[in-house]
Amino acid sequence: MSLIKKPKLTREGLLAIIVAAFILFLSLTTNFSSKSGIYSFMLDVSPTMVAAIGLSMIIFTGNIDISAGTISGFVAYTAGALVKAGAPMIIFVPAAILVGTLLAGLNGYLTVKFKVPSIVVTLAMNMVHVGFYATFLPQSGWIENLGPRFTWFGRARLFGIIPYTFLVAVVVAAIFIFIMAYSKFGKKLYAVGGNVQSAVYSGINPDRIVIKVFFIEGFLIGISALLRALTRNEVMPSMFIGRELFFISAALVGGVSIFGGSGKITGAVLGAMFVYLITIAMIYLGFQDYYQFALQGIIILIAVFITVADFSNWKKKRLKASEGAV
Amino acid sequence: MNEKPILVIDGIEKSFPGVKALIDVSLDLRQGEVHAVCGENGAGKSTLMKIICGVYQPDGGNMILNGEDYSIQNPNDAYARGIAIIYQESSLFPELTVLENIFMGHEMQKPITPLLKMIKINDYPSMRRRASAIFERLGMDIDLDAIVSNLGVATKQMIEIAKALTFDSPILILDEPTAALTSKEVDTLFGTIRKLKTEGHSMLYISHRLDEIFEVCDRVTVLRDGQFIKTEDVAKTNRDKLVTWMVGRNLDTLYPKIEVDIGDVIFEARGLNQEGILNNIDFNLRKGEILGIAGLAGAGRTELALAVCGLTKLDSGELYLNNTKVSFPNYRSAQKHGVDYISEDRKTFGLVLEMSVKVNLTQKLQPKISNIFGIIRRNEEDLYTEDSIKKMDIKTPDSDFIVENLSGGNQQKVSVAKALVIDPQILILDEPTRGVDVGAKSELHRIISTLASEGRSIILISSDLPEILGMCDRVFVMKEGRMAGEVMRGEMSQEKILGMAL
Amino acid sequence: MSTFKKKSFTSYLSHQTILVIALFVVVMIFGIIEPVFFKPRVFFDVFAIVGEIGLMALGLTFVITTGGIDLGVGYNLQMSGIVFGLTWATTQNLALAIAFTLVTGTLGGFFNGLIISRTRIPSLVTTLATMYLYRGLSMIIAGSNNYAGFPDVLQKISTTRLFGFLPVQFIYLLVLFFILDFIYERGVLGRNLKGMGFNENAVIYSGVNTKKILLGIYTFLGLLCGMAAIVYLGRFSAAKTSMGDNMNFEVITAVLLGGTSTMGGIGSMRGTLIGIIIIGVLKKGFSLLNFSGNIYNFTLGLILILSLLLFSVMEEKKKVSSRKI
């Protein structure tokens, strides 16, 4: 019995190779490898990377958050409004992240306390959020001319090529990869998503874990929304409507099982890159914007199909029986 | 063995809304003993164990551990106080590794750096060493990084035990640990139990299989209807006494076999193949015969049954019914030909527990009792339902009662009755008495015998060898998807069957 | 085994009673604030505007009963409507346009059903994906075109008022409701759908081909989306890529409001019908009060959340009172 884990090609490893190959391909065939190409890729991928980590953690526990996009809208609006009111970064950043945390936490609370599936709660919340923007926020939440106090971080670069936002995303990813591997909490997420009953037997309180993970997701959604908002001179909450699709597909492409209980943060991060590379490739190939809707749908289907193929392996015997009933 | 009790349970009471689950139950566990707790389903064994482990809180009574008050709020407290349980249902996480599983919820940790003592992280090297040591103690070689879903049932059971041992608990509770194991695996498990006993562990052992109690246990406590009946030294009791205490009356016999004149071959299977699962299987079945199928778990017995009745597809092979070639492209066509299957797992495959007795009973009858638009003719449905409730003696207030609220034995009867309403000539029963208590077991055996005496043919898949010996006219032993041998009733013995299965 | 307790239907009944009361209250509120609401011509608008939502909601009740969901019915309607527009614009043949619309909707549902029944990808993910797929397809087909100028016949078949007040689309809805309700409550299909919602394996092991049923109900829902598209186009006479945007949510709300459980197994067509009418009342009431669509959405979301919480509390009570013995 060896004490050292043997290396083998995992799903994440495979995805990393695909992503690398894709980057190579784009570099050779387009001007992707130019300074501006690399910069804009890193800038675009950062928010999705961070949010995909949050969504993955939710999905590990067997839940989902359809309102992740619309929560981002509130985060951006809060930041924008506070900047207009003259708040410094030290205030508006934590405040905006707090808004995200609380809104997602509310989803978690309702899911757990009333035993309503998170899909329905967050779907309804999505609607409430969108209605709220237009009904209660002045000018539907549109704030312009925010000025450099708002945008300096989003537009700052290290060595003139690496956006600060990407550095934030990398640090967040590193922290959460570490947490999932080296903390009790990380293992508990898989336990709750894998087998709730056993989790209870292992002394885990699933309700508490699920509420916690929604709060953490909210925190990450907060960061993600800022990484996107801070690059622009204006905020518009409705800009974030539908973003959850990118987050979810990044997680699913990364091998996070929609059934809960398995998947890796590394996968979600690579998944986010993959989703963007595809988008970039589409743009280079000259497809219109709206092709991306259709493509995104297809990517999700293929990604999940691969996961389910694995999953059915796990439940081989049971599924065999049901498959026979043609 | 030390006479001094390590854990004393005194006058425990527990009610759930509408029912008293435990009434004044007392028990004492001595240092280094294996103490059996037995009783029929619903006697309160599992509730008692869950109270000891902190899953439930008792309404009354007290527990004393090592002379100190033992009142706990959750499973973690129980582990912390030195009591670990191995649950009846698998409590493993299929997508995680062996190592992650056995330390779930109580990972060993170390400070992230010597400087920052506050922040602790999981200490994998220590966990690996610890896990290796435990598996070594259990005499097992296992890859700690294997994903649990890829492992066999017996290995999973050993992992559960290893998980319990990581707590270093002096007290272990084993809840039906052999339910899913085959005879050989049971022997290995018993070896482990004896070893743990000599190391000074005390164990509470819950089982339906009485033979096991006589094999490994020192004392036995019997519960009935939530009440304490008796604690006795195993050496001073016997099987019949135990059964009487459990059931509260004398059972005439566990295997009421009716001798039937066995007729001609009614069903024949030739060269059944399913890649990687079934390998060239031939067998036949006579009218009025009870044919047993024995074998280890994973030998392909259930798979054979599923393939025969069209629930899975065969790669090749031929089926003959009354010497006419038939094929069952789906399950319903098998039913139409009078071949039916009753699953081993009534909760997952047998019944829709949340629906009424009536709906469950007539589920297979749907084509017969509905009109061309698929609308159910209610009069006919009621007739069939009432008839079948009466025939099977299902104890239910009325046919609209939700199955989930019936007792386990009655649920099993619904599951059998559901097959009988379509009047099958060939009935495949898959572990019909697994997890059923002695009283219901005897009743189910009587039903099986009666069915055979009515001229039906029965295929009885069972891991319970005494049941095979007691009930079957002929037994067909499977091994690794092949037919390993066939034994007639006169020549049957446990050793012979086991010899073929291994 | 001590005593038997019968699972009562009181909570189930009270559920529908609550709905009817809620409906009555909402009607009264709007009536008092804006008395014009009670004028027959206006009041029957309520039934006119729920035609397309209602058709889809009835079909979705089947789907949700099995424990599944379809998040994208509105986009299926959109895709079907765009196909209508395109066919009409190119051929000027109404029969052909209607046929293509129905076929498109049906295919949309069939594709969902095929994936869900064959691959066992959860319906949630499947329809989330196909919802964007169908939306994308609508945009790809339409480009920047809006289709309009449909024949009057179209308007007649989907928006005529019988006796001057009763909207014909509501009659379609009622006819379909009676058929589906009968199947749901008394039919083999209804029983198997509920059984699948609770425990699909047990239904398979009774010899029922659940794959076929799944494929069937999603396809049927697709057909209803196609029909809904025609009703919709009759009302608005223009096919554009924004049509149906809001309907995904309205339709799901109608079904869940009606008491069908997303966990599967429990549900009622009658509840769905009441849910549909409540949505119609809100929609009409809000437009009379000149509230924006956003306030309507906001309220709808809140109502859905509140109703789910209420039902979950009721369900919890029911469970305690009939706990397993």
Side-chain angles (χ1 to χ4, degrees), chain B residues 405-418:
Chain B
N405 298 346
L406 294 173
S407 70
N410 277 303
Q411 287 182 13
Q412 187 68 350
K413 281 192 204 168
V414 174
S415 157
V416 175
K418 180 178 159 182

Side-chain angles (χ1 to χ4, degrees), chain C residues 117-131:
Chain C
S117 64
R118 300 290 141 160
T119 67
R120 302 272 149 182
I121 294 178
S123 55
L124 166 66
V125 188
T126 307
T127 57
L128 186 73
T130 58
M131 146 176 150

Side-chain angles (χ1 to χ4, degrees), chain C residues 47-69:
Chain C
F47 302 99
I49 58 181
V50 295
E52 58 273 10
I53 298 171
L55 288 172
M56 297 191 283
L58 292 179
L60 190 66
T61 306
F62 275 168
V63 164
I64 296 186
T65 303
T66 64
I69 196 150

Side-chain angles (χ1 to χ4, degrees), chain C residues 63-275:
Chain C
V63 164
I64 296 186
T65 303
T66 64
I69 196 150
D70 189 337
L71 294 175
V73 286
Y75 290 133
N76 192 344
L77 176 142
Q78 184 178 89
M79 181 170 72
S80 310
I82 295 289
V83 167
F84 182 96
L86 180 70
T87 319
W88 174 255
T90 41
T91 66
Q92 301 287 312
N93 183 337
L94 183 64
L96 197 65
I98 289 181
F100 275 16
T101 310
L102 295 180
V103 168
T104 308
T106 309
L107 280 178
F110 178 78
F111 185 58
N112 284 337
L114 200 66
I115 295 171
I116 292 160
S117 64
R118 300 290 141 160
T119 67
R120 302 272 149 182
I121 294 178
S123 55
L124 166 66
V125 188
T126 307
T127 57
L128 186 73
T130 58
M131 146 176 150
Y132 284 92
L133 179 61
Y134 297 161
R135 186 176 186 197
L137 287 176
S138 310
M139 291 168 156
I140 292 167
I141 297 168
S144 52
N145 296 329
N146 282 345
Y147 301 100
F150 302 138
D152 294 342
V153 194
L154 179 68
Q155 210 170 340
K156 282 217 178 82
I157 54 174
S158 48
T159 59
T160 305
R161 298 261 171 140
L162 298 177
F163 319 116
F165 66 91
L166 199 57
V168 69
Q169 63 263 53
F170 193 69
I171 304 293
Y172 299 153
L173 185 64
L174 275 185
V175 169
L176 188 71
F177 164 76
F178 283 118
I179 297 170
L180 296 188
D181 184 57
F182 199 59
I183 291 174
Y184 196 84
E185 299 296 335
R186 298 270 302 275
V188 168
L189 180 66
R191 213 170 250 195
N192 287 334
L193 291 175
K194 290 172 209 163
M196 285 159 71
F198 284 125
N199 180 355
E200 188 176 344
N201 280 318
V203 179
I204 294 171
Y205 274 64
S206 296
V208 177
N209 187 342
T210 58
K211 280 183 175 180
K212 218 193 255 170
I213 292 182
L214 281 176
L215 185 60
I217 57 174
Y218 282 94
T219 310
F220 179 63
L221 178 56
L223 172 67
L224 291 178
C225 292
M227 287 166 66
I230 293 166
V231 171
Y232 180 95
L233 291 178
R235 230 152 47 85
F236 292 101
S237 320
K240 39 187 181 182
T241 49
S242 65
M243 64 189 276
D245 269 353
N246 205 24
M247 283 184 194
N248 296 326
F249 185 69
E250 287 175 294
V251 172
I252 293 172
T253 307
V255 178
L256 298 187
L257 208 54
T260 301
S261 161
T262 45
M263 310 298 275
I266 300 167
S268 106
M269 277 292 165
R270 288 159 217 181
T272 301
L273 186 67
I274 305 174

